[in-house]
Amino acid sequence: MKAIVVGAGNVGRNLAKQLCQEGYDVAVVDRSAAPLSEAEEHLDILTVQGHGADPRALDKAGIEGADLLAAVTGQDEVNILACASARAAGVKHKVARISNDAWLSGRPGLHLSDLGVDFAINPEQECAREIAGLLRLPGALEIVDLFDGRAMAVGLRISSESPLIRSRLKDYPDADFLSRVRLIALRQGDRIVTPTGDTQVMIGDEVYLAGRSPVIAQYADVMSPDRPRLDRVVIYGGDAMGFSLARMLEETELQLVLLESDPERAAACSGGLSRTLVLRSGGVSADALREAGTDERTAFVATTDDDESNIIGCLLAEKQGASLTIAQVGKPEYVPVIDSLSLLDRVVSAHLSVVNAVLRFVRGRNVRAATRLQTLPGELVEILLADSMPWCGKAIRDLRIPKGSIIASVDRAGEVLVPTGDLALMPGDRLVIFALPGALNRLAALFRG
């Protein structure tokens, strides 16, 4: 399989890296030599210097034989034109990064599909959805919705107040515990293991579990009884991501404050939001945070395109008493430093949101979706079980599941089932499987069709 990535910025390089790991032969097109050199230094790819919408550059990249073109530059028009060229060349999958909401909403008689775009992705909106999900369950390391929100996978850190400490999971007094949720991974320091009933958890361990959303929320209090409770969210930055996040959170009962320095942008946010308090601020300061009402029941979320400002803003908010800090960070090299120093509670990346969205789109017919976890190596892969597949009619305990993978949840005709050993799988079941990187190719080969 061959893929062309148009744009060698952070988004393009992250996408090219993942596509290489998926087994694609990747070509990257960009008009600037420097990002191409950086990408070529770390990846086994073909690089082509040229305008992303120039047919000559796309020809050099091998567009005639490509299976996928993903145009992810910061210019919507370039991305759309690249997809139009790809359609003319017979490329099967055509993906465009689109930032302008006007393109996404469409207009009568004109749609992106008419211009060759099979799938449009807005990184800021995708990342805002991820942040909104984290705020639904404060204290979670990561939250991924499954089966259109009927279930979820969540990472939680075991706190000193958890009743699970130093006892085997199967000995927890709630006898239904292991039949109501599926524990899919446990991180103990640098070691990742698949938990069983005999597993003992310790303070600071990170447990990842999947199940129906209301049940997961209940057991979050078992894992981390002292996790934060929120009344207010302060959003730093009224750009596309911050505005989208505020609009999503207006559907909740949380009190919302948005800090924005640019007067025109602040006015636009104020006019476009119904119950969010928009405050003009020259940046994050103790005075601004006090005016916003920052305290121990506040989450502070920094969404600007300035990584350093986002990090410093979160540190100031924590000093002011905020119990949860989340920052959008664009530079991948910052993330391990932030994690190792425990500077922030959570880091999110619009770039990884693009990678996840593209993978969900280009997987095979039966492998319906994939989500890379940010806090744990591996992916959650959604699979539609066809009647011709070897797993049909077999109990889960009798399956030959690739090493490094585990069935996290099952959807049967809209009902979410916990994948216990005696559950027999049926045609039409939708499975979510957690797979470590080494198991992904074996899993995809098993279900490709």
Side-chain angles (χ1 to χ4, degrees):
M1 298 182 292
K2 183 169 184 177
I4 298 174
V5 176
V6 178
N10 280 328
V11 174
R13 291 197 302 274
N14 277 281
L15 179 57
K17 177 180 178 181
Q18 183 62 27
L19 290 172
C20 286
Q21 294 176 359
E22 293 281 312
Y24 281 85
D25 294 324
V26 179
V28 178
V29 180
D30 198 283
R31 65 191 309 171
S32 300
L36 289 175
S37 297
E38 183 176 347
E40 197 170 28
E41 182 179 348
H42 297 94
L43 301 172
D44 182 16
I45 58 173
L46 169 69
T47 58
V48 177
Q49 187 174 357
H51 194 280
D54 187 338
R56 294 168 297 183
L58 295 174
D59 284 341
K60 289 181 182 178
I63 194 170
E64 291 293 338
D67 301 283
L68 164 69
L69 179 135
V72 294
T73 76
Q75 297 177 284
D76 292 356
E77 296 80 1
V78 172
N79 298 339
I80 293 169
L81 283 172
C83 287
S85 294
R87 180 175 65 173
V91 177
K92 182 178 180 181
H93 298 301
K94 302 166 288 292
V95 178
R97 173 185 177 179
I98 301 294
S99 297
N100 189 335
D101 286 343
W103 282 112
L104 296 173
S105 59
R107 57 175 295 180
L110 179 64
H111 301 279
L112 285 173
S113 58
D114 299 327
L115 302 173
V117 179
D118 298 321
F119 180 67
I121 171 66
N122 183 309
E124 291 75 23
Q125 288 187 7
E126 288 293 319
C127 201
R129 289 190 190 97
E130 180 184 347
I131 297 170
L134 289 170
L135 294 172
R136 282 182 298 155
L137 198 65
L141 300 167
E142 186 156 11
I143 298 176
V144 177
D145 280 326
L146 309 175
F147 307 135
D148 303 316
R150 294 192 302 279
M152 63 171 63
V154 173
L156 294 159
R157 182 173 286 110
I158 300 295
S159 74
S160 60
E161 304 297 322
S162 174
L164 293 174
I165 293 173
R166 297 186 181 88
S167 63
R168 295 183 300 177
L169 292 173
K170 66 181 181 183
D171 293 333
Y172 181 63
D174 181 352
D176 294 330
F177 175 44
L178 294 180
S179 64
R180 300 185 72 197
V181 296
R182 182 72 155 174
L183 279 71
I184 59 176
L186 173 67
R187 187 204 293 271
Q188 295 178 317
D190 295 331
R191 191 168 66 106
I192 298 173
V193 299
T194 300
T196 68
D198 291 319
T199 298
Q200 290 184 325
V201 297
M202 305 297 288
I203 298 173
D205 286 355
E206 297 174 5
V207 177
Y208 291 76
L209 59 160
R212 292 190 301 111
S213 299
V215 176
I216 292 294
Q218 173 187 342
Y219 284 114
D221 290 332
V222 173
M223 306 290 180
S224 301
D226 52 352
R227 65 187 182 86
R229 268 57 175 176
L230 300 178
D231 293 330
R232 178 183 290 104
V233 177
V234 177
I235 302 170
Y236 171 42
D239 52 8
M241 189 185 302
F243 179 80
S244 295
L245 176 61
R247 191 161 53 183
M248 293 174 190
L249 294 179
E250 285 194 335
E251 299 177 3
T252 72
E253 296 181 354
L254 292 166
Q255 302 171 34
L256 303 173
V257 181
L258 188 148
L259 305 177
E260 172 56 46
S261 58
D262 182 81
E264 292 185 4
R265 187 60 198 161
C269 290
S270 183
L273 297 168
S274 60
R275 66 174 197 84
T276 300
L277 174 63
V278 179
L279 299 177
R280 282 278 311 282
S281 171
V284 179
S285 65
D287 289 340
L289 291 169
R290 278 194 293 270
E291 186 178 1
T294 306
D295 58 23
E296 69 278 0
R297 296 183 72 90
T298 299
F300 180 86
V301 183
T303 63
T304 77
D305 57 4
D306 186 325
D307 290 354
E308 291 77 9
S309 292
N310 290 345
I311 295 168
I312 295 299
C314 285
L315 294 176
L316 288 172
E318 183 178 28
K319 186 176 180 180
Q320 195 68 24
S323 61
L324 179 64
T325 56
I326 302 173
Q328 198 283 129
V329 173
K331 297 183 179 68
E333 59 270 21
Y334 280 12
V335 176
V337 177
I338 294 169
D339 288 342
S340 65
L341 297 177
S342 300
L343 293 176
L344 311 177
D345 293 312
R346 190 67 170 84
V347 175
V348 295
S349 168
H351 308 142
L352 188 53
S353 297
V354 173
V355 174
N356 283 337
V358 174
L359 289 177
R360 285 194 295 267
F361 176 70
V362 301
R363 293 283 189 180
R365 176 169 53 87
N366 297 316
V367 182
R368 297 279 294 272
T371 299
R372 293 177 64 205
L373 299 176
Q374 294 199 37
T375 58
L376 189 71
E379 294 184 16
L380 288 163
V381 182
E382 184 180 319
I383 291 168
L384 176 63
L385 201 61
D387 55 10
S388 59
M389 291 181 176
W391 285 9
C392 280
K394 295 182 179 179
I396 288 177
R397 64 166 56 92
D398 298 326
L399 300 179
R400 298 184 63 183
I401 302 175
K403 185 179 180 180
S405 58
I406 184 172
I407 301 175
S409 192
V410 178
D411 176 275
R412 179 172 295 166
E415 181 183 2
V416 177
L417 306 175
V418 178
T420 54
D422 57 354
L423 178 67
L425 300 179
M426 306 293 291
D429 285 352
R430 294 167 65 195
L431 315 180
V432 169
I433 300 177
F434 171 70
L436 292 170
L440 287 170
N441 289 337
R442 295 193 299 273
L443 194 64
L446 185 62
F447 292 103
R448 186 174 287 121

Coordinates of all heavy atoms in Angstrom, one line a residue, residues 329-393:
V329 N -0.4 20.9 23.6 CA 1.0 21.0 23.3 C 1.2 20.5 21.9 O 0.9 19.4 21.6 CB 1.9 20.3 24.3 CG1 3.3 20.3 23.9 CG2 1.7 20.9 25.7
G330 N 1.8 21.4 21.1 CA 2.0 21.0 19.7 C 3.4 20.4 19.4 O 3.5 19.6 18.4
K331 N 4.4 20.7 20.2 CA 5.7 20.1 20.0 C 5.8 18.7 20.6 O 5.8 18.6 21.8 CB 6.8 21.0 20.5 CG 6.8 22.4 19.9 CD 8.0 23.2 20.5 CE 8.1 24.6 19.8 NZ 6.9 25.5 20.1
P332 N 6.0 17.7 19.8 CA 6.0 16.3 20.4 C 7.2 16.1 21.4 O 7.0 15.4 22.3 CB 6.2 15.4 19.1 CG 5.8 16.2 18.0 CD 6.1 17.7 18.3
E333 N 8.3 16.8 21.2 CA 9.4 16.6 22.1 C 9.2 17.2 23.5 O 9.9 16.8 24.4 CB 10.7 17.3 21.5 CG 10.5 18.8 21.3 CD 10.0 19.2 19.9 OE1 9.4 18.3 19.3 OE2 10.3 20.3 19.5
Y334 N 8.2 18.0 23.6 CA 7.8 18.5 25.0 C 7.1 17.5 25.8 O 7.2 17.5 27.1 CB 6.9 19.8 24.9 CG 7.7 21.1 24.5 CD1 9.0 21.1 24.1 CD2 7.0 22.3 24.6 CE1 9.6 22.2 23.8 CE2 7.6 23.5 24.4 CZ 9.0 23.4 23.9 OH 9.6 24.6 23.6
V335 N 6.4 16.6 25.2 CA 5.5 15.7 25.9 C 6.2 14.8 26.9 O 5.8 14.8 28.1 CB 4.6 14.9 25.0 CG1 3.7 13.9 25.8 CG2 3.7 15.8 24.1
P336 N 7.3 14.1 26.5 CA 8.0 13.3 27.5 C 8.6 14.0 28.7 O 8.7 13.6 29.8 CB 9.0 12.5 26.7 CG 9.2 13.3 25.5 CD 7.9 13.9 25.2
V337 N 9.0 15.3 28.4 CA 9.6 16.1 29.4 C 8.5 16.5 30.5 O 8.7 16.4 31.7 CB 10.2 17.4 28.8 CG1 10.8 18.3 30.0 CG2 11.4 17.0 27.9
I338 N 7.4 16.9 29.9 CA 6.2 17.3 30.8 C 5.8 16.1 31.7 O 5.6 16.2 32.9 CB 5.1 17.8 30.0 CG1 5.5 19.1 29.3 CG2 3.8 18.0 30.8 CD1 4.5 19.6 28.3
D339 N 5.7 14.9 31.0 CA 5.3 13.7 31.7 C 6.3 13.3 32.8 O 5.9 13.0 33.9 CB 5.1 12.5 30.8 CG 3.8 12.7 29.9 OD1 3.0 13.5 30.3 OD2 3.7 12.1 28.9
S340 N 7.6 13.3 32.5 CA 8.6 12.9 33.4 C 8.7 13.8 34.6 O 9.0 13.3 35.7 CB 10.0 12.8 32.7 OG 10.4 14.1 32.3
L341 N 8.4 15.1 34.4 CA 8.5 16.0 35.5 C 7.2 16.2 36.2 O 7.1 17.0 37.2 CB 9.0 17.4 35.0 CG 10.4 17.4 34.5 CD1 10.8 18.8 33.9 CD2 11.4 17.0 35.5
S342 N 6.1 15.6 35.7 CA 4.8 15.7 36.3 C 4.3 17.2 36.4 O 3.8 17.6 37.4 CB 4.7 15.0 37.6 OG 5.0 13.6 37.5
L343 N 4.6 17.9 35.3 CA 4.3 19.3 35.4 C 2.8 19.6 35.3 O 2.3 20.5 36.0 CB 5.1 20.1 34.2 CG 6.6 20.1 34.3 CD1 7.1 20.7 33.0 CD2 7.1 20.8 35.5
L344 N 2.1 18.8 34.5 CA 0.7 19.1 34.3 C -0.1 17.8 34.5 O 0.5 16.7 34.5 CB 0.5 19.6 32.8 CG 1.3 20.7 32.3 CD1 1.0 21.0 30.8 CD2 1.2 21.9 33.1
D345 N -1.4 18.0 34.7 CA -2.2 16.8 34.9 C -2.4 16.0 33.6 O -2.5 14.8 33.5 CB -3.6 17.2 35.5 CG -3.4 17.7 36.9 OD1 -2.7 17.0 37.7 OD2 -3.9 18.7 37.2
R346 N -2.5 16.8 32.5 CA -2.8 16.1 31.2 C -2.4 17.0 30.1 O -2.5 18.2 30.1 CB -4.4 15.9 31.1 CG -4.8 15.1 29.9 CD -4.3 13.6 30.1 NE -4.9 12.8 29.1 CZ -4.5 12.7 27.8 NH1 -3.4 13.3 27.5 NH2 -5.1 11.9 27.0
V347 N -1.8 16.4 29.1 CA -1.3 17.0 27.8 C -2.2 16.4 26.7 O -2.3 15.2 26.6 CB 0.2 16.8 27.6 CG1 0.5 17.4 26.2 CG2 1.0 17.5 28.7
V348 N -2.7 17.3 25.8 CA -3.4 16.8 24.6 C -2.7 17.4 23.4 O -2.0 18.4 23.5 CB -4.9 17.2 24.6 CG1 -5.6 16.5 25.8 CG2 -5.0 18.7 24.8
S349 N -3.0 16.7 22.3 CA -2.3 17.1 21.0 C -3.3 17.1 19.9 O -3.9 16.0 19.6 CB -1.1 16.2 20.7 OG -0.7 16.4 19.4
A350 N -3.5 18.2 19.2 CA -4.3 18.2 18.0 C -3.7 17.4 16.9 O -4.4 16.8 16.1 CB -4.5 19.7 17.5
H351 N -2.4 17.2 16.9 CA -1.8 16.4 15.9 C -2.1 15.0 16.0 O -2.4 14.3 15.0 CB -0.2 16.6 15.9 CG 0.2 18.0 15.9 ND1 1.3 18.5 16.7 CD2 -0.3 19.1 15.3 CE1 1.4 19.8 16.5 NE2 0.5 20.2 15.7
L352 N -2.1 14.4 17.2 CA -2.5 13.1 17.4 C -4.0 12.9 17.1 O -4.4 11.8 16.6 CB -2.2 12.6 18.8 CG -2.4 11.1 19.2 CD1 -1.6 10.3 18.2 CD2 -2.0 10.9 20.6
S353 N -4.8 13.9 17.3 CA -6.2 13.8 16.9 C -6.4 13.6 15.4 O -7.3 12.8 15.0 CB -7.0 15.1 17.3 OG -6.9 15.3 18.7
V354 N -5.5 14.2 14.6 CA -5.6 14.0 13.2 C -5.2 12.5 12.8 O -5.8 11.9 12.0 CB -4.6 14.9 12.4 CG1 -4.6 14.6 11.0 CG2 -5.1 16.4 12.6
V355 N -4.1 12.0 13.5 CA -3.7 10.7 13.2 C -4.8 9.7 13.5 O -5.1 8.8 12.8 CB -2.4 10.4 14.0 CG1 -2.0 8.9 13.9 CG2 -1.2 11.2 13.6
N356 N -5.4 9.8 14.7 CA -6.5 9.0 15.1 C -7.6 9.0 14.1 O -8.2 7.9 13.7 CB -7.0 9.3 16.5 CG -6.2 8.9 17.6 OD1 -5.4 8.0 17.4 ND2 -6.3 9.5 18.7
A357 N -8.0 10.2 13.6 CA -9.1 10.3 12.7 C -8.8 9.7 11.3 O -9.6 9.0 10.8 CB -9.5 11.8 12.5
V358 N -7.6 9.8 10.9 CA -7.2 9.2 9.6 C -7.2 7.7 9.7 O -7.7 7.0 8.8 CB -5.8 9.8 9.1 CG1 -5.4 9.0 7.8 CG2 -5.9 11.3 8.8
L359 N -6.6 7.2 10.8 CA -6.6 5.7 11.0 C -8.0 5.2 11.0 O -8.3 4.1 10.5 CB -5.8 5.4 12.2 CG -4.3 5.6 12.2 CD1 -3.7 5.2 13.5 CD2 -3.7 4.7 11.1
R360 N -8.9 5.8 11.7 CA -10.3 5.4 11.7 C -10.9 5.3 10.3 O -11.7 4.4 10.0 CB -11.2 6.3 12.6 CG -10.9 6.2 14.1 CD -12.0 6.8 14.9 NE -12.0 8.3 14.7 CZ -11.4 9.1 15.5 NH1 -10.7 8.7 16.5 NH2 -11.5 10.4 15.3
F361 N -10.5 6.2 9.5 CA -11.1 6.2 8.1 C -10.5 5.2 7.2 O -11.2 4.6 6.4 CB -10.9 7.6 7.5 CG -11.3 7.8 6.1 CD1 -12.7 7.8 5.8 CD2 -10.4 7.9 5.1 CE1 -13.1 7.9 4.5 CE2 -10.9 8.0 3.8 CZ -12.2 8.0 3.5
V362 N -9.2 4.9 7.3 CA -8.6 4.1 6.3 C -8.4 2.6 6.7 O -8.0 1.8 5.9 CB -7.1 4.6 5.9 CG1 -7.2 6.0 5.4 CG2 -6.2 4.5 7.1
R363 N -8.8 2.2 7.9 CA -8.8 0.8 8.2 C -9.7 0.0 7.2 O -10.5 0.6 6.5 CB -9.3 0.6 9.6 CG -8.5 1.2 10.7 CD -7.2 0.4 11.0 NE -6.5 0.8 12.2 CZ -5.4 0.3 12.6 NH1 -4.9 -0.7 12.0 NH2 -4.9 0.8 13.7
G364 N -9.5 -1.3 7.2 CA -10.2 -2.1 6.3 C -11.7 -2.1 6.6 O -12.2 -1.6 7.6
R365 N -12.5 -2.8 5.8 CA -13.9 -2.9 5.9 C -14.4 -3.4 7.2 O -15.4 -2.9 7.7 CB -14.5 -3.7 4.7 CG -16.0 -3.9 4.8 CD -16.5 -4.5 3.5 NE -15.8 -5.8 3.2 CZ -16.1 -7.0 3.7 NH1 -17.2 -7.1 4.5 NH2 -15.4 -8.1 3.4
N366 N -13.7 -4.4 7.7 CA -14.2 -5.0 9.0 C -13.5 -4.3 10.2 O -14.1 -4.3 11.3 CB -13.9 -6.5 9.0 CG -14.6 -7.2 7.9 OD1 -15.8 -6.9 7.7 ND2 -14.0 -8.1 7.2
V367 N -12.3 -3.7 10.0 CA -11.7 -3.0 11.1 C -12.2 -1.6 11.0 O -11.7 -0.8 10.2 CB -10.1 -3.1 11.0 CG1 -9.5 -2.4 12.2 CG2 -9.7 -4.6 11.0
R368 N -13.1 -1.2 11.8 CA -13.9 0.0 11.6 C -13.3 1.2 12.2 O -13.6 2.3 11.8 CB -15.3 -0.2 12.2 CG -16.1 -1.3 11.6 CD -16.7 -0.8 10.3 NE -17.7 0.2 10.6 CZ -19.0 -0.1 10.9 NH1 -19.4 -1.4 10.9 NH2 -19.9 0.9 11.1
A369 N -12.5 1.1 13.2 CA -12.0 2.3 13.9 C -10.7 2.0 14.7 O -10.5 0.8 15.1 CB -13.1 2.9 14.8
A370 N -10.0 3.0 14.9 CA -8.8 2.8 15.8 C -8.5 4.1 16.5 O -8.7 5.2 15.9 CB -7.6 2.5 14.9
T371 N -8.1 4.0 17.7 CA -7.7 5.2 18.5 C -6.4 4.9 19.2 O -6.3 4.0 20.0 CB -8.8 5.5 19.6 OG1 -10.0 5.8 18.9 CG2 -8.4 6.7 20.4
R372 N -5.4 5.7 18.9 CA -4.1 5.6 19.6 C -4.3 6.2 21.0 O -4.8 7.4 21.1 CB -3.0 6.2 18.9 CG -2.7 5.6 17.6 CD -1.6 6.4 16.8 NE -0.4 6.4 17.6 CZ 0.6 7.3 17.5 NH1 0.4 8.3 16.6 NH2 1.7 7.3 18.2
L373 N -3.9 5.6 22.0 CA -3.9 6.1 23.4 C -2.7 7.1 23.6 O -1.6 6.7 23.1 CB -3.9 5.0 24.4 CG -5.1 4.1 24.4 CD1 -5.0 3.0 25.4 CD2 -6.4 4.9 24.6
Q374 N -2.9 8.2 24.2 CA -1.8 9.1 24.4 C -1.0 8.7 25.7 O 0.2 9.1 25.8 CB -2.4 10.5 24.6 CG -3.0 11.1 23.3 CD -3.1 12.6 23.3 OE1 -2.2 13.3 23.8 NE2 -4.2 13.1 22.8
T375 N -1.6 8.1 26.6 CA -1.0 7.8 27.9 C -0.5 6.4 28.0 O 0.1 6.0 29.1 CB -1.9 8.1 29.1 OG1 -3.1 7.4 29.0 CG2 -2.2 9.6 29.1
L376 N -0.7 5.6 27.0 CA -0.3 4.1 27.1 C 0.0 3.7 25.6 O -0.7 4.0 24.7 CB -1.5 3.3 27.6 CG -1.3 1.9 27.9 CD1 -0.4 1.7 29.2 CD2 -2.6 1.1 28.2
P377 N 1.1 2.9 25.4 CA 1.4 2.4 24.1 C 0.2 1.5 23.6 O -0.3 0.7 24.4 CB 2.7 1.6 24.3 CG 3.3 2.2 25.5 CD 2.1 2.6 26.4
G378 N -0.1 1.6 22.4 CA -1.1 0.7 21.8 C -2.3 1.4 21.3 O -2.4 2.7 21.3
E379 N -3.3 0.7 20.8 CA -4.5 1.2 20.2 C -5.7 0.5 20.7 O -5.7 -0.7 21.1 CB -4.4 1.2 18.7 CG -3.4 2.0 18.1 CD -3.4 2.0 16.6 OE1 -4.4 1.6 16.0 OE2 -2.4 2.4 16.0
L380 N -6.9 1.2 20.6 CA -8.2 0.5 20.7 C -8.7 0.4 19.3 O -8.9 1.4 18.6 CB -9.1 1.4 21.6 CG -8.8 1.4 23.1 CD1 -9.5 2.5 23.8 CD2 -9.2 0.0 23.7
V381 N -8.9 -0.8 18.9 CA -9.4 -1.1 17.5 C -10.8 -1.7 17.5 O -11.1 -2.6 18.3 CB -8.4 -2.2 16.8 CG1 -8.8 -2.4 15.4 CG2 -7.0 -1.7 16.9
E382 N -11.6 -1.1 16.7 CA -13.0 -1.6 16.7 C -13.2 -2.4 15.5 O -12.8 -2.1 14.3 CB -14.0 -0.4 16.6 CG -15.5 -0.8 16.6 CD -16.4 0.4 16.6 OE1 -16.1 1.4 17.2 OE2 -17.4 0.3 15.8
I383 N -13.8 -3.6 15.7 CA -13.9 -4.6 14.6 C -15.4 -5.1 14.5 O -16.1 -5.3 15.5 CB -13.0 -5.8 14.9 CG1 -11.6 -5.4 14.8 CG2 -13.3 -7.0 14.0 CD1 -10.6 -6.4 15.3
L384 N -15.9 -5.1 13.3 CA -17.2 -5.7 13.0 C -17.0 -7.2 12.7 O -16.3 -7.5 11.7 CB -17.8 -5.0 11.8 CG -19.2 -5.5 11.4 CD1 -20.2 -5.4 12.5 CD2 -19.6 -4.8 10.1
L385 N -17.6 -8.0 13.4 CA -17.4 -9.5 13.3 C -18.4 -10.1 12.2 O -19.6 -10.1 12.4 CB -17.7 -10.2 14.7 CG -17.1 -11.5 14.9 CD1 -15.6 -11.5 14.8 CD2 -17.5 -12.1 16.2
A386 N -17.8 -10.5 11.1 CA -18.5 -11.1 10.0 C -18.7 -12.6 10.3 O -17.9 -13.2 11.0 CB -17.8 -10.9 8.7
D387 N -19.8 -13.2 9.7 CA -20.0 -14.6 10.0 C -19.0 -15.6 9.5 O -18.9 -16.7 9.9 CB -21.4 -15.0 9.5 CG -21.6 -14.7 8.0 OD1 -20.6 -14.4 7.3 OD2 -22.7 -14.8 7.5
S388 N -18.1 -15.1 8.5 CA -17.1 -15.9 8.0 C -15.8 -16.0 8.9 O -14.9 -16.7 8.6 CB -16.7 -15.5 6.6 OG -16.3 -14.1 6.6
M389 N -15.8 -15.1 9.9 CA -14.6 -15.0 10.7 C -14.4 -16.2 11.7 O -15.4 -16.7 12.2 CB -14.6 -13.7 11.4 CG -14.4 -12.5 10.5 SD -14.4 -10.9 11.4 CE -14.0 -9.8 10.0
P390 N -13.2 -16.6 12.0 CA -13.0 -17.7 12.8 C -13.5 -17.6 14.3 O -13.7 -18.6 15.0 CB -11.5 -17.9 12.8 CG -10.9 -16.6 12.4 CD -11.9 -16.0 11.5
W391 N -13.7 -16.4 14.7 CA -14.1 -16.2 16.1 C -15.6 -16.4 16.3 O -16.1 -16.5 17.5 CB -13.7 -14.8 16.6 CG -12.3 -14.6 16.9 CD1 -11.3 -15.5 16.6 CD2 -11.7 -13.5 17.5 NE1 -10.1 -15.0 17.0 CE2 -10.3 -13.8 17.6 CE3 -12.1 -12.3 18.1 CZ2 -9.3 -12.9 18.2 CZ3 -11.2 -11.5 18.6 CH2 -9.8 -11.7 18.7
C392 N -16.4 -16.4 15.2 CA -17.8 -16.5 15.4 C -18.3 -17.8 16.0 O -17.8 -18.9 15.7 CB -18.5 -16.4 14.0 SG -18.7 -14.7 13.5
G393 N -19.2 -17.8 17.0 CA -19.7 -18.9 17.6 C -18.8 -19.5 18.7 O -19.2 -20.5 19.3

